[in-house]
């Protein structure tokens, strides 16, 4: 992108918004009028927050339990859009209110004018397909929409058993059941295609981005025929899905879930009668394949998902879509705290035993530890523990996806986040650290970036790269070192830190070590 283009993207000016002047100066805005936005889906009255028009809780569909979602007719009259809609029922009460009726999206825009044609950035939250919500303060789109001159959309959808319980082999009436969460996202993207222009967005420049499970949902959609043409750029943040769940394993998980609920396999109708709270209780079932809590995720059902997303190669359907793939340097420091029982008393005599279940691959853990000790003789047992579990468990899938796209000549860029926690330096650049940096929510509850000059600089670099990518399909912008496309010769990787810089094949030794071990993604 040229400097002139970049200046245009991040300019501040007076524009028309919903029939009234919206003065944008220095990143803040004053609204003189807030007329409702009218589109095919209806008329919506939002709010104005720090110069950005916000529309929360817009319904994009409805769905019966274990059935595919459907669009809804435009309601009569002006609909209030000031409050978030309910989130999908899930274990715990971190997010609320919760309801099965959870198909709602939210929009932030500085210019609700069809002539604006701004890039659209649609965010999909993480939570391993089972938990999470875009109502989290870290996902607030105000700062990103104001700085980037983009339209930000966030989407809630069905999760866990409500979104991915595979009943099709037990009852053909529920033929869509294994991929309902994905179908919700497809419906939301169709809503954006048909309506976002009225909010100032360009339906021909829709970028999807998501962290953790949100990135995995995107990787999966890149192989779903139903999603073809609905988005034009994709960015995954610590989220990958090389393979989907096989239908036989998914059915075995369904049986375990039914047994936990006391529901007979031949009577899935009983699931329709249970209170949703009971369905959530059933999530505590033991996974018959992996152990631990039962896994829910996309299913290779040969109906909506007819091949694995990135196996045996990158799905040809999406090779023309530019893609950014990123991970944090210290992913597993988020899942396993330095003061947790797993780390207490850790030494060379027990690190292999404790590392084994965290690697999520079938490899001799004693061999892994020996390799690390020989390569990094100054490292402590905890250094080896975190590096090996990050490389073998959390990073490996991203490497495979980037490699497969590079082999096919598809446009792709790779980043690694090295900017570490300023609130607890022991955690380093852990899983989720990139969310507040991209959204600019450094002061939000749950952020560990701090709000100092270094955090603001790291956030600016990431925001500008993501906005540039949304606008042009290329994350390069003025002020950032040239970020080459990822290829198998150089493996150029943008290291987001202060300052950002490019390294070729960072962590090469660790990548090559785990490339010697067959990769089988959990859930298959």
């Amino acid at each position: 992108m040229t400097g002139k283009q970049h200046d245009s993207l991040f300019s501040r000016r007076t524009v028309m918004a919903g029939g009234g002047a919206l003065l944008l100066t220095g990143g803040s805005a004053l609204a003189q009028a807030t007329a409702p936005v009218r589109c095919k889906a209806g008329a919506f009255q939002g709010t104005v927050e720090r110069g950005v028009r916000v529309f929360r809780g817009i319904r994009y569909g409805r769905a019966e339990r274990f059935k595919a979602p459907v669009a809804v007719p435009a309601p009569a009259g002006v609909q209030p859009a000031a409050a978030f809609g309910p989130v999908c029922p899930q274990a715990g009460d971190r997010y609320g209110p919760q309801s099965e009726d959870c198909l709602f999206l939210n929009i932030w825009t500085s210019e609700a004018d069809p002539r604006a044609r701004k890039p659209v950035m649609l965010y999909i939250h993480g939570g391993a397909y089972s938990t999470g919500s875009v109502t989290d303060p870290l996902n607030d789109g105000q700062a990103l929409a104001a700085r980037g001159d983009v339209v930000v959309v966030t989407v809630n959808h069905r999760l866990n058993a409500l979104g991915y319980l595979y009943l099709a082999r037990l009852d053909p009436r529920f033929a869509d059941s294994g991929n309902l969460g994905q179908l919700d996202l497809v419906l939301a993207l169709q809503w954006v295609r048909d309506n976002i222009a009225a909010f100032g967005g360009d339906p021909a420049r829709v970028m999807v981005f998501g962290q953790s499970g949100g990135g995995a949902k995107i990787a999966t959609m890149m192989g779903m025929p139903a999603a073809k043409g609905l988005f034009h750029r994709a960015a995954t943040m610590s989220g990958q899905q090389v393979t989907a769940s096989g239908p036989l394993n998914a059915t075995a998980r369904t049986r375990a879930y039914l047994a936990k609920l006391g529901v007979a396999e031949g009577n899935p109708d009983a699931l329709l009668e249970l209170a949703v709270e009971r369905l959530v209780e059933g999530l505590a079932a033991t996974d018959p394949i992996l152990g631990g809590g039962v896994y829910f995720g996309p299913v290779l059902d040969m109906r909506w998902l007819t091949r694995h997303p990135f196996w045996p190669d990158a799905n040809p359907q999406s090779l023309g879509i530019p893609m950014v793939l990123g991970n944090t340097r210290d992913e597993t420091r988020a899942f396993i705290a330095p003061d947790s029982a797993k780390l207490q008393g850790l030494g060379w005599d027990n690190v292999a035993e404790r590392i084994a279940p965290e690697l999520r691959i079938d490899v001799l853990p004693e061999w892994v530890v020996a390799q690390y000790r020989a390569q990094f003789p100054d490292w402590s047992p905890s250094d080896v523990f975190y590096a090996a579990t990050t490389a073998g468990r959390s990073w490996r899938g991203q490497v495979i996806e980037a490699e497969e796209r590079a082999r096919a000549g598809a446009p792709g860029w790779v980043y690694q986040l090295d900017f570490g926690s300023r609130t607890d330096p022991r955690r380093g650049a852990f899983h989720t650290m990139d969310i507040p940096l991209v959204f600019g929510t450094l002061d939000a509850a749950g952020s560990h970036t701090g709000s100092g000059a270094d955090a603001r600089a790291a956030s600016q670099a990431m925001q500008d790269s993501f906005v540039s990518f949304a606008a042009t399909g290329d994350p390069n912008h003025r002020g950032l070192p040239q970020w080459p496309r990822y290829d198998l010769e150089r493996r150029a990787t943008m290291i987001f830190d202060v300052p950002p810089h490019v390294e070729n094949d960072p962590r090469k030794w660790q990548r090559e070590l785990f490339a010697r071990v067959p990769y089988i993604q959990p859930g298959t």
Side-chain angles (χ1 to χ4, degrees), residues 137-166:
L138 293 178
N139 307 150
D140 187 277
Q142 188 277 335
L144 182 56
R147 174 175 176 76
D149 206 20
V150 293
V151 176
V152 177
V153 182
T154 66
V155 181
N156 272 334
H157 51 283
R158 283 174 290 177
L159 306 167
N160 50 66
L162 295 166
Y164 296 96
L165 181 70
Y166 184 55

Side-chain angles (χ1 to χ4, degrees), residues 1 53 60 158 171 186 310-311 353 367 382 384 441 457:
M1 173 183 292
R53 297 192 67 180
Y60 66 88
R158 283 174 290 177
D171 191 326
V186 168
F310 282 88
W311 187 89
E353 176 186 356
W367 175 79
S382 63
V384 171
T441 50

Side-chain angles (χ1 to χ4, degrees), residues 34-39 41-49 53-60 74-86 103-107 191 199:
T34 56
V37 168
R38 301 181 185 277
C39 58
F44 302 96
Q45 179 67 65
T47 60
V48 177
E49 299 174 14
R53 297 192 67 180
V54 186
F55 301 83
R56 293 185 174 91
I58 295 178
R59 179 185 294 282
Y60 66 88
V78 176
Q79 302 299 303
F84 287 118
L103 304 189
F104 297 93
L105 56 79
N106 318 289
I107 301 171
W191 191 100
F199 295 86

Side-chain angles (χ1 to χ4, degrees), residues 89-125:
Q90 56 194 269
D93 57 1
R94 180 178 178 184
Y95 303 111
Q98 298 182 7
S99 170
E100 288 189 75
D101 185 16
C102 61
L103 304 189
F104 297 93
L105 56 79
N106 318 289
I107 301 171
W108 287 259
T109 180
S110 61
E111 190 174 3
D113 184 330
R115 297 166 295 182
R117 295 284 168 166
K118 300 174 185 289
V120 178
M121 299 179 65
L122 185 144
Y123 182 74
I124 302 171
H125 71 75

Side-chain angles (χ1 to χ4, degrees), residues 486-501:
Y486 188 86
D487 61 44
L488 297 179
E489 181 179 357
R490 292 180 58 190
R491 297 179 184 269
T493 302
M494 178 59 67
I495 307 298
F496 280 115
D497 204 345
V498 181
H501 60 281

Side-chain angles (χ1 to χ4, degrees), residues 54-411:
V54 186
F55 301 83
R56 293 185 174 91
I58 295 178
R59 179 185 294 282
Y60 66 88
R62 291 186 184 274
E64 297 179 22
R65 186 179 289 182
F66 306 129
K67 294 292 186 68
V70 296
V72 294
V78 176
Q79 302 299 303
F84 287 118
V87 307
C88 182
Q90 56 194 269
D93 57 1
R94 180 178 178 184
Y95 303 111
Q98 298 182 7
S99 170
E100 288 189 75
D101 185 16
C102 61
L103 304 189
F104 297 93
L105 56 79
N106 318 289
I107 301 171
W108 287 259
T109 180
S110 61
E111 190 174 3
D113 184 330
R115 297 166 295 182
R117 295 284 168 166
K118 300 174 185 289
V120 178
M121 299 179 65
L122 185 144
Y123 182 74
I124 302 171
H125 71 75
Y129 294 106
S130 286
T131 61
S133 170
V134 291
T135 62
D136 192 301
L138 293 178
N139 307 150
D140 187 277
Q142 188 277 335
L144 182 56
R147 174 175 176 76
D149 206 20
V150 293
V151 176
V152 177
V153 182
T154 66
V155 181
N156 272 334
H157 51 283
R158 283 174 290 177
L159 306 167
N160 50 66
L162 295 166
Y164 296 96
L165 181 70
Y166 184 55
L167 293 163
R169 297 189 71 243
L170 303 182
D171 191 326
R173 292 177 301 162
F174 304 112
D176 305 314
S177 56
N179 290 299
L180 297 176
Q182 300 299 119
L183 296 179
D184 292 346
L185 294 172
V186 168
L187 185 63
L189 283 163
Q190 291 171 342
W191 191 100
V192 167
R193 176 196 63 198
D194 297 338
N195 297 280
I196 204 64
F199 295 86
D202 184 352
R205 287 191 297 169
V206 175
M207 168 187 164
V208 290
F209 68 120
Q211 191 273 341
S212 192
K217 294 162 193 171
I218 289 168
T220 302
M221 281 199 300
M222 292 184 79
M224 292 183 67
K228 186 175 182 179
L230 293 177
F231 57 93
H232 314 97
R233 304 91 162 84
T236 57
M237 307 156 61
S238 302
Q240 43 276 325
Q241 192 78 40
V242 176
T243 55
S245 184
L248 299 184
N249 281 349
T251 301
R253 292 183 169 102
T254 296
R255 290 189 169 111
Y257 177 77
L258 294 176
K260 180 70 174 179
L261 291 174
V263 172
E265 178 182 323
N267 184 27
D269 275 339
L271 288 175
L272 303 179
E273 300 167 2
L274 288 178
V276 71
E277 291 79 10
R278 289 279 291 121
L279 298 184
V280 172
E281 290 172 4
L283 301 177
T286 300
D287 192 292
I289 316 300
L290 301 172
V294 65
Y295 169 87
F296 290 106
V299 179
L300 192 70
D301 62 358
M302 309 313 291
R303 178 179 174 88
W304 296 106
L305 195 59
T306 58
R307 56 153 284 169
H308 293 293
F310 282 88
W311 187 89
D313 54 13
N315 195 317
Q317 170 181 312
S318 296
L319 293 180
I321 297 177
M323 188 174 187
V324 167
L325 303 101
N327 274 78
T328 68
R329 185 189 61 205
D330 307 301
E331 296 278 2
T332 55
R333 288 181 184 266
F335 314 130
I336 308 158
D339 53 0
S340 66
K342 181 73 74 170
L343 271 291
Q344 289 178 1
L346 186 70
W348 294 121
D349 60 332
N350 59 17
V351 65
E353 176 186 356
R354 295 189 185 184
I355 228 172
E358 305 301 333
L359 285 173
R360 305 285 178 89
I361 51 177
D362 194 354
V363 62
L364 188 67
E366 292 81 6
W367 175 79
V368 171
V369 171
Q371 295 296 309
Y372 269 91
R373 293 191 71 179
Q375 183 69 21
F376 305 108
D378 296 334
W379 282 17
S380 68
S382 63
D383 291 336
V384 171
F385 179 94
Y386 283 123
T389 53
T390 290
R393 166 185 172 176
S394 296
W395 179 45
R396 179 79 179 280
Q398 185 248 70
V399 171
I400 291 171
E401 291 183 3
E403 288 176 340
E404 292 304 327
R405 285 181 60 86
R407 285 192 181 95

